Amino acid sequence: MSTGKPELIDRTGRRYPIDEPRWCGDDGSPLLVEPLPGITRERIDSGVRSQWRYAAALALPDTPAVSLGEGLTPLLHRRLAGLDVAVKAESANPTASFKDRGTSVMISTLRAQGVPAVLEDSSGNGGSSVAAYCAAAGIDAQILAPEATSPAKILQSRIHGASVELVPGSRQDTADEALRRSAERFYASHNWHPHFLDGIKLIAYEIWEDLGFTAPSAVVVPAGAGSLVLGCAAGFGELHRAGEIDRVPRLLVSQPERCSPLVRAFDSGADGVEPAEWAPTLAEGTSIAHPVRDQEVLRAIRASGGAMTAVPEEELRPATLALARTGLYAEPTSAQVVPALERFARDGHLTGDDVVVAVLTGSGLKASTAMARLLDD
């Protein structure tokens, strides 16, 4: 019998109840919340000073919130790459990255479902976010991270009380190890869990409200696993279905050239990424060799009329310093959007008539070792 609630869907089209603890389909593919109708501006709870003001848009809107005040981040106007750009500064979130948006909703859901302990794998920001929200929820957290992860991110996770294990090798090696352990402890992966994406989509609602209840022409974001891409696609898609915006923004997406599997697949017209060897990059937060939701990310970018670009390693340092000299202390993972803007403008994907929002996903304070190296070069 139908409960009237939305359902989770895997890649085969099989449906699952939304209120049971589940992170993948029976076929091992990632899950998505089925498309939702969206909300109008009248359903925003303007008395709530966090992203939970848009709770009516969530798949489980009545879930008691585990909140640290995430969302309502500044939209700052800057001149970048010869364009007037509105910069969404996600470092203002509680653990200093956009991941808090998804983590808040994911951990709220898992607490409501009675999950007592979780496993997460992360290159840093996702892990420290899960550690913080698990601390707030009273859930035991175990974090796996690559051994090269920035010490500040590891320290934050441990200070919040999570157990942290550093895994030798690449970011992909860490993800593979987490999958091996997922039979022993509930896998609350920000790359896999559908309710994480349901939280990330609220950034689209916030940008819409920031811009006076209108949509930008384009949103420029960095991508590793692509949760921000999928969140923007879902959120703006809902606003379009609700009749609040007349078009979905183009999704313009960057990856570091040294680890750009999505860009390679996009440029070749492929449906998903192919296995390949990639080099270490200063943009560690987007160093993911095989994104779990590669197919969905590529479809979302193409459906929006968007584009992708790979940013050369030598452009990350000047971009990070250029942002810092406008007062924005962004980690290199985030700063890649500056040369990406330049490339998208050069290739005709952006003009001076576009309303552009660029998302800075995390703070330079979270990547202190990498930031210090910028002054040594």
Side-chain angles (χ1 to χ4, degrees), residues 282 316-325 329-330 332 364 367-377:
L282 195 60
L316 294 173
R317 176 181 182 271
T320 306
L321 295 175
L323 280 174
R325 285 158 191 170
Y329 196 60
S368 54
T369 302
M371 298 298 279
R373 288 205 307 269
L374 299 182
L375 297 178
D376 296 335
D377 291 344

Side-chain angles (χ1 to χ4, degrees), residues 287-310:
S287 184
I288 298 179
H290 198 124
V292 169
R293 301 178 187 273
D294 55 343
Q295 298 175 34
E296 292 80 3
V297 172
L298 291 166
R299 280 202 301 270
I301 297 168
R302 289 168 176 149
S304 76
M308 296 198 75
T309 193

Side-chain angles (χ1 to χ4, degrees), residues 149-350:
T149 298
S150 295
K153 296 174 182 177
I154 298 303
L155 173 62
Q156 186 178 14
S157 296
R158 287 178 167 148
I159 288 289
H160 284 307
S163 63
V164 180
E165 184 176 333
L166 300 183
V167 178
S170 69
R171 174 65 180 89
Q172 191 61 48
D173 291 328
T174 300
D176 293 342
E177 179 61 20
L179 285 172
R180 283 191 287 272
R181 299 190 192 188
S182 63
E184 305 163 10
R185 178 184 278 243
F186 187 83
Y187 190 29
S189 167
H190 66 280
N191 290 330
W192 281 89
H193 203 283
H195 289 283
F196 182 87
L197 288 182
D198 204 38
I200 294 295
K201 79 180 183 188
L202 299 183
I203 194 173
Y205 282 89
E206 197 169 295
I207 290 169
W208 164 64
E209 187 175 4
D210 285 340
L211 294 177
F213 300 107
T214 62
S217 311
V219 180
V220 182
V221 300
S227 62
L228 191 52
V229 175
L230 292 175
C232 285
F236 285 115
E238 290 176 13
L239 287 165
H240 187 256
R241 286 192 289 278
E244 286 289 334
I245 58 176
D246 58 11
R247 69 187 186 287
V248 172
R250 301 187 303 280
L251 299 175
L252 303 179
V253 183
S254 70
Q255 292 195 291
E257 192 173 66
R258 287 188 177 179
C259 190
S260 49
L262 289 167
V263 178
R264 180 177 290 181
F266 185 88
D267 288 346
S268 69
D271 293 331
V273 306
E274 295 292 336
E277 292 296 322
W278 299 98
T281 172
L282 195 60
E284 64 178 10
T286 45
S287 184
I288 298 179
H290 198 124
V292 169
R293 301 178 187 273
D294 55 343
Q295 298 175 34
E296 292 80 3
V297 172
L298 291 166
R299 280 202 301 270
I301 297 168
R302 289 168 176 149
S304 76
M308 296 198 75
T309 193
V311 175
E313 193 72 11
E314 63 269 19
E315 295 183 15
L316 294 173
R317 176 181 182 271
T320 306
L321 295 175
L323 280 174
R325 285 158 191 170
T326 74
L328 296 171
Y329 196 60
E331 63 180 328
T333 294
S334 302
Q336 66 180 284
V337 299
V338 176
L341 282 163
E342 206 167 287
R343 289 165 176 271
F344 289 132
R346 181 194 64 199
D347 294 343
H349 297 296
L350 291 174

Side-chain angles (χ1 to χ4, degrees), residues 30-70:
L31 296 168
L32 289 171
V33 175
E34 69 174 305
L36 298 176
I39 62 171
T40 60
R41 68 194 73 182
E42 291 78 19
R43 298 187 67 194
I44 297 171
D45 188 347
S46 58
V48 175
R49 301 300 301 164
S50 76
Q51 70 170 10
W52 288 84
R53 68 201 279 112
Y54 313 111
L58 294 173
L60 294 174
D62 298 323
T63 302
V66 177
S67 177
L68 298 172
E70 56 291 325

